[in-house]
Amino acid sequence: EGLAPKISSVSVLSWSDDQGDHPEQAVAMIDGDSSTSWHSRWFENNQFLDESAVTLVVKLERTATVSSVTLEMDPSTSGGQLVVRNDPSNPRNGTQLTTSALSPSTEIKLPQPVETSMLALSFRSMPTSVDGNEWAWVSELSVQ
């Protein structure tokens, strides 16, 4: 068994890299405080190409065995599709490990554990969340 994964940072790749998805709020996902959150902008057209999708880049302190990732989201969260990858050189287009729909508390188990120093979580489509809009609100993110 490898060391338990420990997150060192989370960053946000905004849609089309335009900085419009509040990258400055990313730290709220790993501050241990569920009253603070990161959120994307809301989207009317809710279907994204992988190369421009809003992506959360989760860096670990060191290479570790990762078996799942958990997102604590707004209580109104449902649906959407999140894609999990782990290629540091190409976060949005590395090998797809798994996909998941989203809910207020989503644990995404990987098909098999991976040795990695990062995960990339891309929104292929946004969940429905606050006010019935298509956007993501994440209060806490953890890896196991």
Side-chain angles (χ1 to χ4, degrees):
E1 276 297 292
L3 292 160
K6 204 163 167 358
I7 296 173
S8 59
S9 70
V10 177
S11 54
V12 175
L13 304 179
S14 293
W15 178 74
S16 293
D17 294 320
D18 71 355
Q19 303 301 307
D21 290 291
H22 309 292
E24 74 286 349
Q25 296 175 356
V27 69
M29 291 184 272
I30 55 168
D31 64 359
D33 180 352
S34 59
S35 72
T36 63
S37 57
W38 163 82
H39 65 86
S40 68
R41 81 192 87 181
W42 63 274
F43 292 91
E44 284 186 62
N45 182 8
N46 190 27
Q47 200 63 42
F48 304 99
L49 298 171
D50 286 340
E51 57 266 24
S52 60
V54 176
T55 300
L56 309 179
V57 179
V58 182
K59 294 197 168 134
L60 305 181
E61 286 182 358
R62 61 182 71 83
T63 298
T65 304
V66 176
S67 55
S68 66
V69 55
T70 302
L71 294 98
E72 299 299 333
M73 301 183 72
D74 188 83
S76 60
T77 300
S78 67
Q81 188 183 43
L82 192 71
V83 182
V84 183
R85 298 184 174 88
N86 71 330
D87 181 350
S89 63
N90 197 353
R92 287 181 166 122
N93 287 298
T95 304
Q96 182 173 304
L97 301 177
T98 193
T99 65
S100 180
L102 295 159
S103 61
S105 183
T106 305
E107 185 185 359
I108 305 167
K109 286 196 182 299
L110 302 183
Q112 61 266 330
V114 292
E115 286 286 316
T116 190
S117 61
M118 69 82 72
L119 289 175
L121 312 175
S122 293
F123 293 92
R124 200 166 266 163
S125 59
M126 287 290 174
T128 303
S129 189
V130 178
D131 298 332
N133 290 312
E134 321 309 313
W135 53 353
W137 287 69
V138 182
S139 58
E140 291 299 305
L141 187 156
S142 57
V143 294
Q144 294 78 36

